[in-house]
Every structure is written in C-alpha cells, then in structure tokens.
Amino acid sequence: MKAFIYCGGDVLAENITEHPGAEDLSIAADSGYLNARALGARVDVLVGDLDSLGSAGVPSGIELIKLECEKDFTDTQAAVEIAIERGADDIVIVGGIGSRLDHTLSTVCILAYMKKRGIYCVITNGQNRVRYLENDSLLLARSNFKYLSLIALDKVCRGVSVEGCKYPLKNAKIMRENQFAVSNEIDGNAALVSVRRGAMLVIESRD
C-alpha cells in the first residue's frame, strides 16, 4: 500500500504533481495538514501534538491521534510508524524541508530507517526530491529536476558510479569530508546511480 505523509516546511504547491489515490493512505503530521490543504489533498489521519497547527483546528471527519508535547520522537516519525502499522510499503513524504535545519535533517534521516525496514520512501517539497541509497543501485528518469547530487553519509562511500549524466563517475570514492558529487545533470533519458559500499543521499533539485 502507498501512503502520503504531509509535513510542515516549505512546499512549492505547483511542483507537487502526485496526490493520494482512492486506495492510498494520507496522513498529516501536525502543521503538515496546512500543506495538505493547500495542495487540495485528502487527509485520512491527523497526528501530532498540534503545537504548530495553530488556528486551523481539527477538521471533522478526520481521524485524530493526539500526542503529548514532550516526547522522544517527532510528529513525522509518529506518522511514519502509523503508515507502516497500517500496511504501507511505499511512502511519499511531502514537505519536511524548511527553515528549521534540525527538523529537516531529522526527517531526511528517516529515509535510512525506511531502508532498514525494507520500505521505499522519497521526500519531496517540490523544489527538492531526496532518496537514500546504501550498497545498491537506483535508476532515475530525467525530469524537471535539473540537478542531481550525491551526498556521502558514511565516512567513505566506495564504488560509486553514475551513468547517463553530464559528469559520469566510475568506481569512485566519495568521502564525507569532501562532497564533490554535487550539481550533476542528467543528460540522457535516465541516470543510473550505484554505490558498492556505503550510504548516501541522492538529491534532485530544480535550481
């Protein structure tokens, strides 16, 4: 089952083209409800401590899962757990990227958790699209996202290869302290990104 999780943060509504279908689960994490509403997306479940939802209130007809303000996990993490518990194996997180760097990084790190659980996950806010890659390969179709960047999360990522891009790589080594694989561009129909050993973020950006 596919699930959409709407979070707070900056979202370029005109660039969000995928929305929940009739069979999909749609969850809003606290102020993510405002982004969902701006996108015209259906919300099935609203979860959070509601500290940032403000005057929007809780709409009738939406399942509410109220959390304590003082807790050891974020509203987004809670939303992810609900999605998994209800059978999601494909999750799209919309938002979660904004001016609070701590919130942004904590959301991005959820991608590693998803990988460990065997769940496909992507984060997008319309301006960026982020995936997690570890000891694996990823095929990315050419799209309206202009740039493709690889950010090493491990101290060293080995056997990094990129095909179908302006700046190809073959069996390269990327170190966390020297992130040189930034602002590449897909110049074919698709790009194939692979890393033999290590974990990295694969980030597509519009500008």
Side-chain angles (χ1 to χ4, degrees):
M1 181 185 71
K2 192 166 191 174
F4 288 77
I5 296 176
Y6 294 89
C7 304
D10 303 324
V11 173
L12 296 180
E14 64 271 22
N15 294 335
I16 302 295
T17 57
E18 188 178 14
H19 305 285
E23 303 300 320
D24 300 328
L25 176 64
S26 180
I27 303 174
D30 208 318
S31 63
Y33 170 72
L34 300 179
N35 279 331
R37 188 172 66 180
L39 292 167
R42 181 191 84 249
V43 174
D44 303 314
V45 182
L46 173 60
V47 59
D49 50 33
L50 307 187
D51 65 335
S52 54
L53 185 55
S55 60
V58 179
S60 60
I62 296 178
E63 180 184 352
L64 173 64
I65 300 177
K66 182 73 165 60
L67 304 176
E68 298 294 332
C69 291
E70 296 183 359
K71 54 189 185 299
D72 295 329
F73 50 86
T74 66
D75 293 333
T76 301
Q77 289 169 326
V80 164
E81 290 298 337
I82 292 168
I84 294 173
E85 289 170 2
R86 300 190 182 191
D89 55 11
D90 184 349
I91 296 177
V92 178
I93 296 178
V94 181
I97 301 172
S99 58
R100 282 286 301 269
L101 181 59
D102 52 348
H103 283 189
T104 298
L105 291 176
S106 69
T107 300
V108 169
C109 287
I110 288 175
L111 292 171
Y113 174 69
M114 298 292 203
K115 172 72 173 181
K116 186 177 181 179
R117 296 287 297 268
I119 296 169
Y120 176 80
C121 185
V122 60
I123 300 172
T124 183
N125 71 340
Q127 182 69 29
N128 304 280
R129 192 159 57 189
V130 189
R131 296 177 175 88
Y132 177 86
L133 186 64
E134 182 177 4
N135 306 337
D136 205 350
S137 298
L138 178 64
L139 184 66
L140 294 172
R142 189 173 183 175
S143 66
N144 291 329
F145 290 89
K146 181 178 181 180
Y147 297 111
L148 174 64
S149 299
L150 309 181
I151 303 296
L153 297 179
D154 283 334
K155 187 174 181 179
V156 182
C157 290
R158 303 181 186 276
V160 180
S161 297
V162 176
E163 301 175 34
C165 286
K166 183 176 180 179
Y167 306 105
L169 289 175
K170 185 175 182 180
N171 199 30
K173 179 173 69 174
I174 300 178
M175 302 179 67
R176 190 168 56 207
E177 62 190 33
N178 182 20
Q179 306 280 0
F180 66 86
V182 174
S183 296
N184 208 337
E185 298 180 38
I186 300 176
D187 59 5
N189 293 325
L192 178 62
V193 180
S194 59
V195 54
R196 189 177 70 249
R197 185 176 178 183
M200 59 175 50
L201 297 176
V202 179
I203 303 175
E204 297 170 276
S205 303
R206 288 185 182 267
D207 59 27

